Amino acid sequence: DLVLTSPDARNSPLIIPVQVVVTLDRPIIGLEPTELVFQAESGGESPAPRVIQVTNLGGGVLSGLQADALYLGAGGWLSVDLSGSTAPAEILVQPRQAGLSPGEYRAEVRVSGEGALNSPRSVPVVMTVQTGVVSPSRSTATVPNGTAGVATEIIVQARDADGNPVDVGGEAVEVSVSGANSVSPFEAADLGDGTYLSLIHI
């Protein structure tokens, strides 16, 4: 019992019955790790798979295990393979970034078990897809119609092998014009956001 006393209270002491029920015979789902974070590069290889360990932190037998991927947004990029229906077990989690645009993707691996006190439990999964390395052949240039005697402003947009715009600078870019009004290569000014500016006089 819990006893509360106060010299100012007319009903002191107050006795509150307390009952604690310990259910050592019920299974409790344990998951480790508690979060998975992946990084991938657009056009590159998918990240290496990770393993979630499933254990029973309580009593009895943790059986009837099931594991599913639930998506918070775009789906279909995560495979979940449970090694068995009784703990201890392993869940092989394999993200696939093929076809995904650069950005952040979120999901969770939800695990349930028969009679478990904390069923279901979830492990959050985050995968960040970044733009790949710059591909000169996929990069593009915006060239307006030129006027004799006036500088022509050429904007180059750096892109990766999948054609995704690269949003950071740092590349050494040269611009040249071919044809009747060919101009020797000029270095382009790095604008810091994946675009490069060159002023060419034709």
Side-chain angles (χ1 to χ4, degrees), residues 54 61-65 82-90:
V54 184
V61 177
L62 177 55
S63 60
L65 290 173
L82 180 63
S83 66
S85 60
T86 303
E90 294 183 343

Side-chain angles (χ1 to χ4, degrees), residues 1-4 14-20:
D1 293 343
L2 179 63
V3 180
L4 301 178
L14 178 63
I15 301 175
I16 302 175
V18 177
Q19 183 179 16
V20 178

Side-chain angles (χ1 to χ4, degrees), residues 86-188:
T86 303
E90 294 183 343
I91 303 171
L92 185 68
V93 181
Q94 173 66 72
R96 297 183 296 269
Q97 62 83 28
L100 294 179
S101 300
E104 185 177 86
Y105 298 85
R106 291 183 174 271
E108 62 180 43
V109 177
R110 180 168 294 183
V111 181
S112 60
E114 293 179 359
L117 286 172
N118 59 344
S119 179
R121 281 200 65 195
S122 297
V123 173
V125 181
V126 179
M127 181 169 69
T128 302
V129 179
Q130 301 173 332
T131 52
V133 297
V134 174
S135 170
S137 64
R138 296 301 301 272
S139 298
T140 55
T142 302
V143 184
N145 292 327
T147 302
V150 178
T152 300
E153 185 177 277
I154 297 177
I155 298 291
V156 176
Q157 172 64 67
R159 298 180 182 273
D160 65 14
D162 284 344
N164 299 305
V166 175
D167 57 6
V168 295
E171 300 293 328
V173 175
E174 288 187 344
V175 175
S176 61
V177 177
S178 61
N181 297 317
S182 60
V183 179
S184 299
F186 283 84
E187 287 190 5

